[in-house]
Amino acid sequence: MGSEKALLILGIREVNLPKDRPLTYSDLEPIDLVLMKKSSGEAICNQLHKTSKLTGSPSKIISDNGPDLKSGIDLFCNSQANTTHIYDMTHFIANQFKKILDKDPSWQSFINFASIAQTHMRQTSIAALAPPKQRSKSRYMNVDILVNWAIKILPILDSDNKHFSKELINNKLGWIKEFKDDILKYSRMIKASSCISNYIKHNGIHFGMYDQLQVKIFKLQYCQESLNFTSQLMDQVRNLELKLRIGERSLGVSDIIESVFGRFKNMEQQQSGSGFTQLLLALPAIIGENCSNTIKQAMMSVKNKDIKQWFEENIGDSVQKLRTIVLGKSKHANI
């Protein structure tokens, strides 16, 4: 926000990794929360060294491979013989979709038609059937939402529906038929990627996962394009498996981090665009076991002056404070 970035480092001990289920907030511990004016690889690496002095050198670091994070983590791992960088499988899958769909004219045409239909159907009697709104960010992590919508619309186009006018449906959504083969292709790719992603979310990375996933994806339907796509994903599964030592387990996805930031932004509501405030301290508070005793202890041990001191030392003049200082509180400026 503004010129600042918040670096949140979360941790979990390998012995506490859950089995047969995804991570939850209560599984994790907040290790560090740092505000940075410049998020470079060197800055990330230096912060990881500082944090490691408190916790010991980590066995694995998992991230979404953002340029600054990847650079910093790789620098850190090069100086630590026993630390391995794991590329989050969810983001790897999204990047593979991006590589393919960015160059696919059918996909670009499909999302353009869907965007136009979404706008034109908003104020009609068939608004309930309108395409989902497409995201400007992380769009390739949400390909399934739009494709699954199209899969559900296809049979509706050729059937009578007591709730909606068939003529109006075909008038607004009949274009989907032209993309039927492509939609089925995208759907097969999504099913394969979901199979792999869900397995890793629930079981982590471990020896033998490649063979177990091969059995699962073998049962799916494929065309040549979806088969090639799935082969690329399975190559990455093999690469992740080979990063482990015998008997080790590791996280394979970092979705929980996205979820934490999403929940925090929801807490901020209208403040989310006004820079960091004291509420930033709620970010690590989301993590861990928040039982009544923990909350009571925190309320009794942390004073308002402690929060204000942290704010002055770490944030100082916020965006909103500077706005008030420079522009003033008056609604009407003197000209």
Side-chain angles (χ1 to χ4, degrees):
M1 296 181 183
S3 62
E4 293 185 321
K5 294 180 174 63
L7 173 66
L8 178 65
I9 304 176
L10 308 177
I12 182 172
R13 295 184 183 277
E14 185 177 340
V15 294
N16 294 332
L17 288 173
K19 295 182 180 180
D20 301 321
R21 66 170 177 84
L23 281 175
T24 63
Y25 296 147
S26 60
D27 293 320
L28 301 168
E29 293 184 42
I31 305 298
D32 218 336
L33 175 64
V34 184
L35 269 73
M36 313 175 81
K37 290 287 186 182
K38 185 178 181 182
S39 179
S40 64
E42 184 178 358
I44 296 292
C45 178
N46 290 338
Q47 187 55 51
L48 289 173
H49 278 294
K50 290 179 182 178
T51 302
S52 294
K53 291 180 180 179
L54 302 174
T55 63
S57 183
S59 171
K60 308 285 184 302
I61 302 178
I62 183 168
S63 79
D64 63 5
N65 258 26
D68 51 349
L69 287 175
K70 183 180 186 307
S71 175
I73 294 171
D74 286 344
L75 284 172
F76 177 82
C77 290
N78 289 337
S79 66
Q80 306 291 316
N82 297 317
T83 303
T84 303
H85 184 195
I86 302 293
Y87 183 8
D88 164 50
M89 193 65 187
T90 300
H91 284 84
F92 177 84
I93 290 172
N95 280 330
Q96 294 307 114
F97 270 118
K98 185 177 188 301
K99 289 178 182 178
I100 294 172
L101 299 181
D102 268 355
K103 301 176 182 178
D104 185 345
S106 291
W107 173 257
Q108 298 303 322
S109 181
F110 171 67
I111 61 175
N112 184 53
F113 270 97
S115 179
I116 295 172
Q118 204 273 339
T119 302
H120 287 181
M121 293 174 64
R122 196 177 300 158
Q123 302 297 329
T124 69
S125 60
I126 59 170
L129 301 180
K133 187 175 181 180
Q134 298 175 49
R135 298 187 181 186
S136 57
K137 293 184 177 180
S138 304
R139 66 179 66 182
Y140 291 104
M141 296 182 71
N142 299 279
V143 172
D144 59 322
I145 296 175
L146 190 57
V147 173
N148 290 338
W149 163 82
I151 289 289
K152 293 177 181 177
I153 292 295
L154 279 170
I156 294 177
L157 295 174
D158 296 320
S159 62
D160 294 322
N161 192 297
K162 65 179 181 179
H163 300 289
F164 306 110
S165 164
K166 184 177 180 179
E167 181 180 356
L168 184 57
I169 292 174
N170 277 276
N171 177 263
K172 298 295 185 181
L173 297 174
W175 54 268
I176 295 179
K177 293 180 180 180
E178 301 298 322
F179 295 94
K180 182 176 181 179
D181 291 340
D182 291 303
I183 290 169
L184 293 176
K185 175 183 68 177
Y186 304 142
S187 179
R188 294 182 186 113
M189 294 165 67
I190 289 168
K191 287 179 180 178
S193 64
S194 296
C195 177
I196 294 170
S197 177
N198 287 333
Y199 178 91
I200 294 177
K201 286 178 183 179
H202 285 77
N203 300 282
I205 303 169
H206 60 89
F207 275 103
M209 70 172 185
Y210 180 88
D211 293 334
Q212 292 180 20
L213 275 169
Q214 283 280 40
V215 174
K216 289 179 176 294
I217 65 173
F218 178 77
K219 300 175 183 179
L220 301 177
Q221 291 183 336
Y222 295 97
C223 55
Q224 189 58 52
E225 292 90 344
S226 61
L227 185 61
N228 293 339
F229 176 76
T230 305
S231 295
Q232 293 174 353
L233 300 189
M234 288 302 292
D235 286 343
Q236 177 64 4
V237 169
R238 174 70 82 187
N239 291 336
L240 292 176
E241 185 175 316
L242 293 176
K243 285 179 176 286
L244 303 185
R245 304 177 187 91
I246 295 176
E248 278 188 325
R249 290 179 66 236
S250 171
L251 296 176
V253 295
S254 62
D255 301 42
I256 193 75
I257 299 176
E258 307 284 344
S259 177
V260 169
F261 277 108
R263 184 172 178 181
F264 173 67
K265 289 178 180 178
N266 186 55
M267 291 170 60
E268 287 187 307
Q269 297 181 0
Q270 295 180 351
Q271 294 183 23
S272 61
S274 302
F276 293 123
T277 66
Q278 295 176 5
L279 189 60
L280 186 64
L281 288 174
L283 191 54
I286 295 172
I287 308 302
E289 290 281 0
N290 287 326
C291 62
S292 57
N293 288 335
T294 301
I295 295 173
K296 179 180 179 180
Q297 183 179 356
M299 295 292 287
M300 294 177 64
S301 60
V302 180
K303 301 178 181 178
N304 280 334
K305 68 177 183 179
D306 298 326
I307 297 175
K308 291 180 180 178
Q309 181 179 347
W310 182 91
F311 178 83
E312 292 298 327
E313 292 176 354
N314 292 275
I315 299 179
D317 292 336
S318 65
V319 172
Q320 190 59 43
K321 182 178 178 180
L322 290 172
R323 180 188 294 274
T324 302
I325 292 174
V326 176
L327 301 180
K329 297 181 179 180
S330 175
K331 295 182 180 179
H332 305 287
N334 294 320
I335 300 177

